[in-house]
Amino acid sequence: MSQRRKFLKQGAAAMMSLPLLSFDPKKDWSIDSLKYVANKDDDYWKMVRKQFPLKEGQTYFNNGTMGPTSGYVLDKMFDHMMHWNVEAATVDYKDGSGPELLTGYFPYEELRTKLAKIVNCDFKEISLTQNATFGMNYVGMGLVLKKGDELLNTNQEHGGGFGAWQLLAKRKGCVYKQATMPEPANDPQAIVDAIFKEVTPKTKVIAVPHIISGFGTVMPVKQICAEAKKHGIFTILDGAQCVGHVKVDVKDIGCDAYYSSLHKWLLAPAGSGLLYINKDVVGGIWSTIASYNWDNQDDHGFRLMQNGTGNAGLMAGYDAAVDFFNTIGHDVWIGRIKELGMHLRDGLKEMKHVTIYSSTNEELAAGITTYGVEGMSGPDLQKYLWEKERLQPRSVGAKMLRHSVHIYNSKDEIDRALNLISGLA
């Protein structure tokens, strides 16, 4: 801490920038207080909330778009960036300290190993990317496809989940198709049936979300991948909303590829992405971006992350976010999100003037709930919650509100939202 403060005092520019930040650089953002707590009660979660430099009196319910970064992670990033700007001349990137100065040329085996443990795979099956969209494109552009091959999405994809496949259809003459999802989706088999209704002998790729971004539906991906394997179809899952939100075990799921944006539910800084490709199929995926290790056949994950120079401070923050997650604990973190999501849905189910567009089958639900209130548009409802209680979910389309909950939220905050919505009857 004393070292970081020393660096922050170096130069007028650094000092002038501090008043613009809500982040308090003088606070000790250590996560030691979160360790070794056996009883994860309300007092524990209040302590977790204090780890985030969010404004008091305001409640953030839009984690499905961007997760707030903890003070611990920000501290590690600021420390890294300031230190290595001050000490730039002392670094010789050829002697092994290069990752402290620039990224894009190093395997980051330690961070990839941590991530591999979270999603259950070998670290060499993991690539560090900027976000989910990068992962989708690395796989799509790397596949060997030809004219007439069919690529299957759903009609509920995020733009980062369909772009590459539409591009490949136009560029290579592939056939782009969408399966129509049930809405709301409460029956896993109905989801599987909707997808395989569109499958033909020409289907080469099934690319579907693990969690549907707009509705928060947790898809029956293990069943989808098992059925696809019977037909020899390559499966790639859009996990942008998943890592740090629900359990992700890529080996148990059985997918060929999986990508995620960790700036959402893992609360990593923007620019922190993950791509998994099964070692049994990765040899057939061409590198999309080429640099020194574009043809590395020993570490395919490293081969597919040849991005050139990036922000080394961001990588320090990425690593710190994974440590923050692991300190609280995988099951505790994910269990808390599920608990809060159920609390919100249970309250909404009691209101006759509310329509829940998300799944009400708890096997298909987690921390995102999308709903509407009779007589109000989604944007008007978002504005109402903000103006009344400074609560900030996100409107989706004309009639819906997408309400995300995370570990920094409380049941009291959710109850305040429920009370306002109840009053609109």
Side-chain angles (χ1 to χ4, degrees):
M1 281 296 297
S2 60
Q3 183 185 45
R4 180 174 63 83
R5 289 173 188 160
K6 175 183 175 182
F7 291 131
L8 285 173
K9 291 177 181 178
Q10 308 243 355
M15 292 303 294
M16 288 173 63
S17 71
L18 294 181
L20 302 177
L21 302 173
S22 61
F23 176 74
D24 183 358
K26 296 180 181 179
K27 181 175 178 179
D28 183 358
W29 293 101
S30 169
I31 55 176
D32 289 341
S33 62
L34 303 181
K35 298 177 180 178
Y36 315 121
V37 179
N39 184 19
K40 305 295 193 298
D41 56 12
D42 285 346
D43 288 339
Y44 177 80
W45 294 114
K46 288 177 182 177
M47 191 162 54
V48 169
R49 168 64 180 80
K50 291 178 181 178
Q51 287 284 333
F52 296 86
L54 293 161
K55 267 189 179 179
E56 293 299 327
Q58 298 180 357
T59 302
Y60 188 66
F61 281 134
N62 188 24
N63 208 93
T65 297
M66 178 71 74
T69 309
S70 70
Y72 175 76
V73 172
L74 291 170
D75 191 51
K76 294 294 184 182
M77 291 175 65
F78 291 172
D79 188 7
H80 187 284
M81 288 188 287
M82 183 58 70
H83 179 79
W84 295 106
N85 272 279
V86 172
E87 298 291 341
T90 67
V91 178
D92 177 1
Y93 74 94
K94 292 182 179 180
D95 71 0
S97 58
E100 304 295 349
L101 189 63
L102 73 166
T103 66
Y105 305 98
F106 311 99
Y108 286 97
E109 291 185 5
E110 183 177 349
L111 174 55
R112 290 163 65 207
T113 297
K114 293 177 187 177
L115 293 168
K117 288 180 180 178
I118 292 172
V119 301
N120 186 31
C121 65
D122 185 274
F123 82 88
K124 290 185 178 181
E125 295 175 296
I126 292 287
S127 301
L128 305 179
T129 64
Q130 183 168 319
N131 52 44
T133 303
F134 273 53
M136 174 190 64
N137 278 273
Y138 285 171
V139 176
M141 302 309 157
L143 284 169
V144 178
L145 297 167
K146 63 183 184 301
K147 184 176 181 179
D149 287 345
E150 293 181 356
L151 315 173
L152 182 58
N153 260 165
T154 74
N155 67 328
Q156 293 180 359
E157 302 292 333
H158 185 280
F162 65 67
W165 313 111
Q166 291 182 347
L167 169 61
L168 286 166
K170 187 172 183 178
R171 176 183 169 192
K172 294 194 173 184
C174 297
V175 177
Y176 176 75
K177 299 171 70 174
Q178 289 186 342
T180 301
M181 292 291 96
E183 184 183 327
N186 289 313
D187 179 4
Q189 189 59 50
I191 294 173
V192 175
D193 292 345
I195 290 170
F196 284 90
K197 178 183 176 182
E198 304 297 332
V199 168
T200 76
K202 294 184 178 181
T203 305
K204 301 302 179 184
V205 176
I206 291 178
V208 297
H210 186 175
I211 291 180
I212 292 173
S213 180
F215 295 98
T217 307
V218 183
M219 299 272 276
V221 289
K222 182 176 180 178
Q223 194 173 346
I224 292 168
C225 291
E227 186 64 26
K229 194 177 290 288
K230 296 176 185 177
H231 299 273
I233 299 171
F234 187 95
T235 52
I236 176 169
L237 301 180
D238 177 356
Q241 296 284 359
C242 297
V243 178
H245 185 182
V246 295
K247 181 180 179 181
V248 177
D249 183 333
V250 292
K251 296 303 182 184
D252 182 62
I253 292 170
C255 56
D256 292 304
Y258 193 104
Y259 58 83
S260 187
S261 289
L262 304 192
H263 64 258
K264 296 180 184 288
W265 296 88
L266 200 84
L267 310 182
S272 306
L274 171 155
L275 170 64
Y276 156 82
I277 305 180
N278 188 293
K279 60 186 177 183
D280 295 333
V281 300
V282 70
I285 307 290
W286 284 91
S287 299
T288 297
I289 298 179
S291 188
Y292 290 101
N293 279 274
W294 73 271
D295 199 26
N296 188 324
Q297 297 299 308
D298 175 63
D299 187 346
H300 287 281
F302 184 33
R303 170 173 71 84
L304 294 169
M305 50 186 266
Q306 299 293 297
N307 299 324
T309 301
N311 185 344
L314 167 65
M315 295 300 291
Y318 191 169
D319 187 71
V322 175
D323 288 343
F324 185 77
F325 173 81
N326 286 332
T327 297
I328 292 175
H330 178 283
D331 292 347
V332 173
W333 178 296
I334 287 171
R336 179 62 173 176
I337 294 171
K338 178 71 172 183
E339 178 187 4
L340 294 175
M342 288 179 64
H343 186 75
L344 174 62
R345 284 185 291 277
D346 286 345
L348 292 172
K349 289 174 186 177
E350 300 298 318
M351 303 180 196
K352 293 181 180 180
H353 64 299
V354 171
T355 299
I356 300 177
Y357 297 98
S358 295
S359 179
T360 53
N361 177 348
E362 286 299 332
E363 292 183 6
L364 304 180
I368 295 176
T369 308
T370 302
Y371 57 93
V373 173
E374 185 178 343
M376 291 194 78
S377 69
D380 283 346
L381 183 55
Q382 177 181 337
K383 183 179 179 182
Y384 176 78
L385 293 175
W386 176 253
E387 290 181 346
K388 289 293 184 180
E389 290 275 1
R390 290 295 186 261
L391 309 174
Q392 189 67 279
R394 174 185 171 178
S395 62
V396 179
K399 62 181 180 179
M400 298 183 295
L401 193 75
R402 188 182 70 178
H403 198 144
S404 303
V405 293
H406 211 301
I407 61 169
Y408 52 81
N409 293 132
S410 67
K411 290 182 180 179
D412 177 67
E413 291 171 331
I414 295 169
D415 287 341
R416 284 161 53 203
L418 291 170
N419 287 337
L420 287 175
I421 294 166
S422 178
L424 294 172

